[in-house]
Amino acid sequence: MKFFIDTADISEIRELAAAGIVDGVTTNPSLIAKTGRTIEDVIKEICQIIGGPVSAEVTAIDVDGMIAEAERLASIANNVAVKVPATWDGFSACRALSTRGLKVNVTLCFSANQALLAAKAGATFISPFVGRLDDLGLDGVEVIREIRKIYDNDKSFNTEILASSIRTPLHVKQAALAGADIATVPPGVLRNLAKHPLTEQGLASFLADWDKAGQAIL
Ligand code: E4P
């Protein structure tokens, strides 16, 4: 499973990219708004740091508006993936944009049927929102499981499942087990994946014993 980071924070992106485990970045209008900078400046800078897909979302809600905004966003860099919502207009825009060779991420997906429509419309990525479904007492990971099955049943589909709205390390593990191709993970959650008290405890005791042995490897 690939890891994208779900942030528009440039210093976080630089730091995590240096660890060599970041395959792409996702942003949304809320994350861009938080930076206080223009979407063009932020996306351009992220694309200079990350070679993989960088998602930038349209804010128009009609087909023509979405297509015009998506073309503008895609002109920022070759690795921009344009995000359109899982609405009827969004699916029409997705078909038009994917036919023109653009990478399209269909976002705000909350059901297997929306994912089915996205694949029919030629989406590069479908983004089911796990955390927001869980917030309503529904099962976000189950939606990923259903999408995996539907996509595996039709070999003509070429859409990757991008588990989104990931809130916890448990979500990451469950998305991987459910067959997501990618998880987009907030920086704090990504860092927490490495944490285990037994690792920290074990390391401390190995180092204490090594200190007593008085040896050095170099
Ligand atoms: C990513 O593409 C989504 O916009 C993001 O994962 C949403 O996460 P949230 O539900 O935590 O805002």
Side-chain angles (χ1 to χ4, degrees), residues 66-150:
M66 283 187 208
I67 292 173
E69 287 187 4
E71 284 182 334
R72 175 81 185 275
L73 292 171
S75 74
I76 296 173
N78 286 338
N79 53 330
V80 168
V82 292
K83 260 173 134 179
V84 300
T87 59
W88 207 250
D89 282 58
F91 296 127
S92 301
C94 176
R95 168 47 65 209
L97 294 163
S98 61
T99 302
R100 290 174 207 184
L102 267 61
K103 289 182 276 298
V104 185
N105 177 353
V106 173
T107 189
L108 289 167
C109 168
F110 295 96
S111 75
N113 277 336
Q114 288 175 320
L116 182 54
L117 288 170
K120 297 287 289 177
T124 315
F125 307 109
I126 182 67
S127 293
F129 277 36
V130 175
R132 293 191 194 192
L133 282 165
D134 285 8
D135 289 345
L136 295 185
L138 299 168
D139 187 346
V141 173
E142 180 57 22
V143 173
I144 294 185
R145 240 176 256 118
E146 290 172 352
I147 300 171
R148 178 76 282 151
K149 199 152 193 210
I150 289 167

Side-chain angles (χ1 to χ4, degrees), residues 6 26-28 31 57 83 105 107 127 129 132 164-167 184:
D6 198 22
T26 52
T27 68
N28 61 39
L31 293 171
E57 188 161 341
K83 260 173 134 179
N105 177 353
T107 189
S127 293
F129 277 36
R132 293 191 194 192
S164 302
S165 188
I166 293 286
R167 306 269 171 79
T184 187

Side-chain angles (χ1 to χ4, degrees), residues 34-51:
K34 258 208 276 193
T35 68
R37 302 170 62 202
T38 67
I39 187 165
E40 176 139 8
D41 285 354
V42 176
I43 296 296
K44 192 181 281 175
E45 196 169 353
I46 298 174
C47 289
Q48 283 162 359
I49 303 166
I50 300 288

Side-chain angles (χ1 to χ4, degrees), residues 130-200:
V130 175
R132 293 191 194 192
L133 282 165
D134 285 8
D135 289 345
L136 295 185
L138 299 168
D139 187 346
V141 173
E142 180 57 22
V143 173
I144 294 185
R145 240 176 256 118
E146 290 172 352
I147 300 171
R148 178 76 282 151
K149 199 152 193 210
I150 289 167
Y151 284 7
D152 288 348
N153 283 346
D154 189 330
K155 300 295 171 219
S156 73
F157 291 160
N158 218 3
T159 303
E160 290 193 287
I161 304 172
L162 202 181
S164 302
S165 188
I166 293 286
R167 306 269 171 79
T168 63
L170 183 60
H171 275 159
V172 176
K173 180 177 80 174
Q174 289 175 326
L177 287 169
D181 299 291
I182 310 154
T184 187
V185 187
V189 177
L190 194 55
R191 288 199 183 89
N192 281 342
L193 295 184
K195 282 194 188 153
H196 199 291
L198 290 179
T199 303
E200 280 149 33

